[in-house]
């Protein structure tokens, strides 16, 4: 009878996220844009983090992991900087073309053509932000503020001179989780307040540039056409189930942005931006609900730790099947005051990797991964890098 009740409890807990997993479609069938915070450590592990969720990233990947945190942790300063390889490659190419030094105005004009031709059609990505948090066993709260920009310049052979995509995100969230069945089963949920500001300049042409130079009204029309600003509420839930302690085989399920996150006007920050458009800006596209499942195993030998994980992400979304599975590995030494861990992964068919080094209160994390920015597999792949410096308390 006791075994029957425990089996019922496990089945019920594992079914909660699945029942909530109503399909969320992209509408036009194209690849959906990034919608959630990308943690450095999960990115290094190919985003295969649903069944890992053993640090502050649980608040973004699977809130059930909060119940399994061993102790409290606080970070007030945690700057993040990201970029793609096109940024560094283009800088090197431009330096070679221009000679890397000062030149006359005539020389500079003559070199504009080769520079534009060199960087034409390449996406240039940058990311900057901060992500403070406080977590403790069963409870956590976090915030992040970041900006991301993608710029694709075009040569003179096409009418379009630039594609520009800018987004500024703020997110404040709080989560709680609880253990059942002697800590074999963990169930958690979190709620987040989000604000997003976007500027989408697609196929900005020389004609558009000429038009906005004519009058202030033309500039206002441009802002109203391309500016998006709004706020929304997101709810996440998840479970973790570890049947035995040996090697900690764990099944994880998470539902992020339950019911989709719909933005509306009037947020404290986005409302100020909307005033620039005299209240005429649009609102950002909804963030779709995402269903994720994963498994992990974690053999430990004292302070030495190894881990392997597998995720099948965005199960309910109309994305190519090649973009859904992800593999992650991690290994190294984890001590009380000093730790050194290395991560690796495979996602979208591309390798990822990174490391984490902690010395007393200083923590440095780095990740590199590859992603496809087009609307179908293999289109516009680019390698990205992200580094985070953390002061731990």
């Amino acid at each position: 009878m006791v075994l029957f009740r425990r089996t019922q409890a496990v089945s019920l807990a594992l079914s909660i996220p699945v029942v909530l997993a109503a399909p969320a479609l992209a509408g036009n069938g194209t690849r959906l844009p990034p919608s959630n915070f990308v943690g450095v450590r999960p990115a290094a592990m190919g985003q295969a983090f649903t069944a890992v969720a053993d640090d502050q990233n649980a608040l973004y990947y699977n809130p059930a992991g909060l119940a399994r945190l061993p102790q409290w942790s606080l970070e007030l300063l945690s700057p993040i900087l990201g970029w793609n390889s096109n940024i560094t490659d283009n800088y090197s190419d431009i330096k070679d073309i221009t000679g890397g030094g000062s030149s006359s105005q005539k020389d500079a004009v003559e070199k504009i053509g080769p520079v534009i031709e060199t960087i034409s059609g390449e996406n240039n990505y940058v990311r900057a932000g901060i992500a403070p948090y406080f977590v403790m066993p069963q409870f956590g709260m976090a915030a992040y503020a970041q900006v991301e920009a993608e710029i694709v310049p075009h040569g003179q052979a096409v009418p379009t001179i630039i594609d520009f995509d800018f987004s500024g995100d703020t997110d404040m969230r709080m989560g709680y989780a609880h253990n059942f069945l002697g800590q074999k089963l963990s169930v958690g949920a979190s709620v987040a307040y989000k604000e997003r500001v976007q500027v989408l300049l697609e196929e900005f042409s020389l004609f558009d540039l000429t038009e906005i130079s004519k009058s202030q009204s033309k500039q206002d029309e441009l802002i109203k056409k391309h500016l998006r600003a709004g706020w929304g509420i997101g709810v996440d839930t998840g479970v973790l189930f570890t049947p035995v302690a040996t090697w900690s085989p764990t099944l994880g399920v998470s539902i992020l942005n339950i019911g989709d996150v719909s933005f509306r006007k009037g947020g404290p920050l986005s409302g100020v931006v909307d005033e620039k458009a005299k209240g005429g800006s649009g609102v950002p596209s909804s963030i779709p609900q995402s269903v994720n499942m994963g498994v992990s195993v974690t053999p430990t030998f004292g302070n030495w730790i190894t881990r392997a994980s597998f995720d099948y992400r965005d199960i309910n979304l109309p994305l190519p099947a090649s973009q859904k599975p992800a593999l992650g590995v991690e290994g190294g030494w984890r001590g009380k005051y000093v730790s050194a861990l290395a991560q690796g992964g495979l996602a979208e068919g591309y390798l990822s990797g990174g490391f984490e080094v902690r010395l007393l209160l200083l923590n440095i994390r780095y990740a590199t991964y590859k992603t496809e920015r087009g609307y179908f597999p293999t289109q516009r792949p680019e390698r990205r890098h992200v580094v985070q410096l953390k002061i731990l308390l």
Side-chain angles (χ1 to χ4, degrees):
M1 187 65 176
V2 174
L3 178 60
F4 176 73
R5 289 178 178 175
R6 289 186 176 182
T7 303
Q8 278 189 318
V10 173
S11 300
L12 177 61
L14 291 177
S15 67
I16 291 174
V18 177
V19 171
L20 293 171
L25 302 179
N28 57 6
T30 59
R31 184 168 186 239
L32 295 167
S35 59
N36 295 297
F37 179 78
V38 176
V40 180
R41 182 177 166 221
M45 297 179 66
Q47 301 281 7
F49 208 73
T50 302
V52 179
D54 62 350
D55 62 11
Q56 73 280 359
N57 288 297
L59 279 163
Y60 302 102
Y61 289 83
N62 189 346
L66 295 172
R68 303 189 175 191
L69 298 179
Q71 60 188 11
W72 69 274
S73 178
L74 170 67
E75 295 182 8
L76 298 178
L77 297 175
S78 53
I80 299 174
L81 180 64
W83 67 96
N84 68 359
S85 296
N86 289 339
I87 294 287
T88 52
D89 293 344
N90 288 340
Y91 173 78
S92 178
D93 292 340
I94 292 173
K95 187 176 180 180
D96 291 340
I97 293 172
T98 60
S102 59
S103 59
S104 65
Q105 183 177 358
K106 180 180 179 181
D107 290 339
V109 171
E110 291 177 350
K111 292 173 181 177
I112 288 177
V115 167
I116 293 177
E117 183 178 355
T118 299
I119 66 177
S120 176
E122 295 186 354
N123 183 45
N124 296 270
Y125 167 83
V126 292
R127 170 190 178 190
I130 56 173
Y133 71 86
F134 169 73
V135 294
M136 59 182 292
Q138 297 187 298
F139 175 78
M141 55 192 303
Y144 71 81
Q146 70 174 19
V147 294
E148 291 183 285
E150 296 185 5
I151 303 173
V152 183
H154 296 281
Q156 299 175 354
V158 295
T160 301
I161 60 174
I162 192 171
D163 295 332
F164 181 69
D165 184 350
F166 168 88
S167 64
D169 284 290
T170 58
D171 181 299
M172 295 176 287
R173 63 180 56 215
M174 184 179 300
Y176 176 80
H178 195 78
N179 288 319
F180 301 91
L181 304 179
Q183 299 186 349
K184 293 182 179 181
L185 177 67
S186 304
V187 181
S190 65
V191 60
Y193 174 83
K194 303 171 180 282
E195 289 200 44
R196 173 167 290 182
V197 175
Q198 285 182 315
V199 177
L200 299 176
L201 274 173
E202 297 179 349
E203 300 182 352
F204 186 70
S205 65
L206 289 172
F207 174 78
D208 295 324
L209 182 62
T210 303
E211 286 295 298
I212 65 173
S213 64
K214 293 180 179 179
S215 64
Q216 182 64 43
S217 63
K218 294 291 184 180
Q219 296 177 19
D220 293 340
E221 290 178 8
L222 181 75
I223 292 175
K224 291 180 181 180
K225 181 179 179 181
H226 297 284
L227 180 65
R228 306 286 185 267
W231 68 274
I233 301 294
V235 178
D236 303 338
T237 187
V239 299
L240 291 170
F241 179 62
T242 306
V244 296
T246 304
W247 284 27
S248 300
T250 301
L251 169 66
V253 181
S254 69
I255 309 299
L256 308 179
N257 307 311
I258 295 174
D260 300 351
V261 177
S262 298
F263 289 96
R264 64 202 71 182
K265 293 185 179 182
L269 297 177
S270 59
V272 172
V273 174
D274 184 53
E275 289 179 2
K276 297 295 182 180
K278 299 180 175 61
S281 72
V283 294
S285 301
S286 297
I287 300 177
Q289 176 177 283
S290 174
V291 184
N292 310 290
M293 297 185 67
V295 293
S296 69
V297 291
T298 311
T300 57
F301 308 93
N303 286 337
W304 291 99
I305 183 173
T306 57
R307 176 180 285 111
S309 59
F310 171 80
D311 265 27
Y312 199 74
R313 301 180 56 81
D314 301 323
I315 297 172
N316 62 313
L317 297 179
L319 303 180
S322 61
Q323 295 175 351
K324 296 187 177 185
L327 292 170
V329 294
E330 183 177 47
W333 171 274
R334 176 174 287 177
K336 185 175 182 180
Y337 300 107
V338 178
S339 64
L341 298 171
Q343 298 93 18
L346 180 67
E348 299 185 42
Y350 304 106
L351 292 174
S352 63
F355 63 84
E356 173 186 342
V357 177
R358 177 183 177 185
L359 179 61
L360 299 179
L361 299 180
L362 181 64
N363 189 319
I364 299 176
R365 285 178 174 160
Y366 166 79
T368 177
Y369 61 99
K370 207 166 187 178
T371 185
E372 296 167 355
R373 301 306 304 135
Y375 296 117
F376 52 84
T378 73
Q379 186 185 21
R380 285 176 57 190
E382 63 181 49
R383 179 155 294 279
R384 295 185 174 184
H385 308 268
V386 58
V387 64
Q388 185 173 28
L389 177 64
K390 300 188 175 185
I391 306 298
L392 302 174
L393 296 176

